Amino acid sequence: MEKIKVNVALSGLNNIDNPGPGIPVIRGLKESKILDVRVIGLSYENLEPGIYMHDLVDKTYKVPYPSDGFEPFLDRIRYIHEQENIQVLIPNFDSELFTVMKSEKILQDMGIRTFLPTLKQFEERHKSNLPEYGEKY
Amino acid sequence: MVVKGKFYDAHIAYDRDQVSIFFNKIAAKWGLPIVIQEFVRGTEVNVVALGDGKGNTIGAVPMRKTYITDKGKGWGGITLQDQTMMDLTQKIISQTQWRGGMELELIRTSKNELYMIEINPRLPAWVYLAVAAGQNLPEALVLLALGKELKPFSEYQVGKMFIRYSYDMICDMKEFEEFSTRGEV
């Protein structure tokens, strides 16, 4: 069976002593027997090890911090999308999830798919809400 | 008590003064709110799972941390056979119609009670253990994002372990310079 070619952009390339999930996620994708994945790394810092792991990451782009706001982040994603045709985006940092969830529709219109919890699901399970969450579910 | 930040950081405080110190420290670094709760002694167990957004659990693998660093992060872990953790995961995913990756962080006490300490709305850094145990959850997540219908994983290998290690990767300064200046490499 021919593998499905797909371009996946993801963050969390900080494979340090307290690692982000990026590299472990990529290892799973690269071992897929169904998918032929081109991995586009999104990095916040110049020394995230994943940037230099060319056997796992095909190309890496620096991205602005989510705290810089929606627009700088989306502008950069738009540019990367023009170069790479991102089909799926996997944000791997807690701090960027909200920005990507909020931008889901814009990303979808650009042709970039995500598979994330809804904002309601995201907000409900915050540590500070866990007692109510436990009672509700 | 345990004093926790909204996204990151947690400290065990043994008296009122320590609670204040950690509260201010975490608030200064990560902002509010701060969670202060009873410290539950026990073993840290986690589940990595993937929900399809329609109430189905596509995959779930429970794990016990076998080595925890001074930062409180898992440096080793082993997959478990644990029906209670699986039932809890499936209940949460089905009742919330959870969409995407998820990590449940739990404490199991010596009386075998489970306390939930956190739900992370993404795949965790130890997700490759699930891949090695037979559930390629990153692959499944991409297939779901592409709109494919998936059958849930029905099994995983119990007793698979991960042991994290550090490694000195060698690279050229030219590449570092290129990434620092051009923002891509």
Side-chain angles (χ1 to χ4, degrees), chain B residues 7-109:
Chain B
F7 291 124
Y8 305 106
D9 232 351
H11 296 273
I12 300 165
Y14 294 92
D15 57 34
R16 208 171 267 273
D17 289 344
Q18 286 189 355
V19 170
S20 304
I21 292 166
F22 292 135
F23 184 100
N24 291 326
K25 193 178 162 190
I26 298 171
K29 197 168 176 191
W30 302 109
L32 297 171
I34 304 288
V35 179
I36 303 171
Q37 57 189 193
E38 182 192 349
F39 174 65
V40 180
R41 192 172 295 281
T43 309
E44 208 172 310
V45 286
N46 297 0
V47 185
V48 57
L50 178 64
D52 69 354
K54 298 171 190 162
N56 301 307
T57 301
I58 294 299
V61 177
M63 176 274 278
R64 174 170 57 81
K65 289 183 183 176
T66 52
Y67 189 96
I68 297 174
T69 66
D70 52 2
K71 282 187 188 167
K73 304 294 167 184
W75 197 259
I78 183 164
T79 56
L80 304 173
Q81 183 161 33
D82 193 306
Q83 200 52 49
T84 316
M85 286 166 75
M86 294 298 272
D87 290 346
L88 178 67
T89 306
Q90 279 169 358
K91 192 175 170 198
I92 292 174
I93 288 182
S94 98
Q95 296 203 2
T96 60
Q97 309 259 301
W98 189 269
R99 184 170 180 263
M102 167 192 270
E103 180 193 29
L104 298 181
E105 294 190 16
L106 307 148
I107 299 283
R108 183 185 291 288
T109 67

Side-chain angles (χ1 to χ4, degrees), chain A residues 2-52:
Chain A
E2 204 170 322
K3 287 186 177 182
I4 305 167
K5 281 188 185 287
V6 59
N7 300 330
V8 178
L10 46 75
S11 58
L13 304 184
N14 56 330
N15 207 46
I16 53 171
D17 61 339
N18 178 17
I23 295 299
V25 167
I26 294 168
R27 286 178 75 192
L29 295 179
K30 288 286 186 184
E31 286 179 19
S32 172
K33 293 185 174 67
I34 307 167
L35 300 170
D36 177 6
V37 182
R38 176 171 163 79
V39 173
I40 301 132
L42 308 175
S43 175
Y44 294 97
E45 296 285 343
N46 299 334
L47 280 173
E48 291 185 29
I51 303 166
Y52 309 96

